[in-house]
Amino acid sequence: MRKTILLGALITLFGAGALAQAKDITEIGSTSEATRSAGEHAHERHHESRRDHHGARRGHHDEARERHDERRDHDRRH
């Protein structure tokens, strides 16, 4: 009798686990599009941030180059 009860409980646990896994698989299919969209937005924000960073660095280098040229021109005159 105990073996029958344990076997029934074991079968029930496996059945519940299989049902939960099947439910997870169907939910993943429906949310993957939303996840992909969010990932694309994050990717775009990352590239936009990198462009801003490089633009700021480029501006800083241009200013430094202008100051250097002005100093060199000033030294030539004196």
Side-chain angles (χ1 to χ4, degrees):
M1 181 78 178
R2 275 190 210 165
K3 289 181 182 180
T4 306
I5 292 171
L6 287 175
L7 184 59
L10 189 59
I11 291 172
T12 303
L13 286 174
F14 279 122
L19 181 64
Q21 185 177 9
K23 184 178 177 185
D24 287 345
I25 290 172
T26 58
E27 287 178 359
I28 288 172
S30 65
T31 60
S32 64
E33 187 173 320
T35 304
R36 188 177 317 130
S37 176
E40 289 173 357
H41 290 298
H43 187 75
E44 290 172 9
R45 283 192 308 271
H46 170 76
H47 281 288
E48 186 175 310
S49 171
R50 297 303 300 161
R51 279 192 299 270
D52 292 346
H53 175 76
H54 286 293
R57 285 186 57 160
R58 208 172 298 122
H60 173 73
H61 288 297
D62 290 344
E63 292 172 8
R65 189 176 301 118
E66 288 175 9
R67 285 193 307 269
H68 177 73
D69 291 345
E70 288 173 2
R71 271 190 239 126
R72 187 175 40 188
D73 290 343
H74 178 66
D75 291 342
R76 285 182 188 168
R77 282 185 257 150
H78 294 293

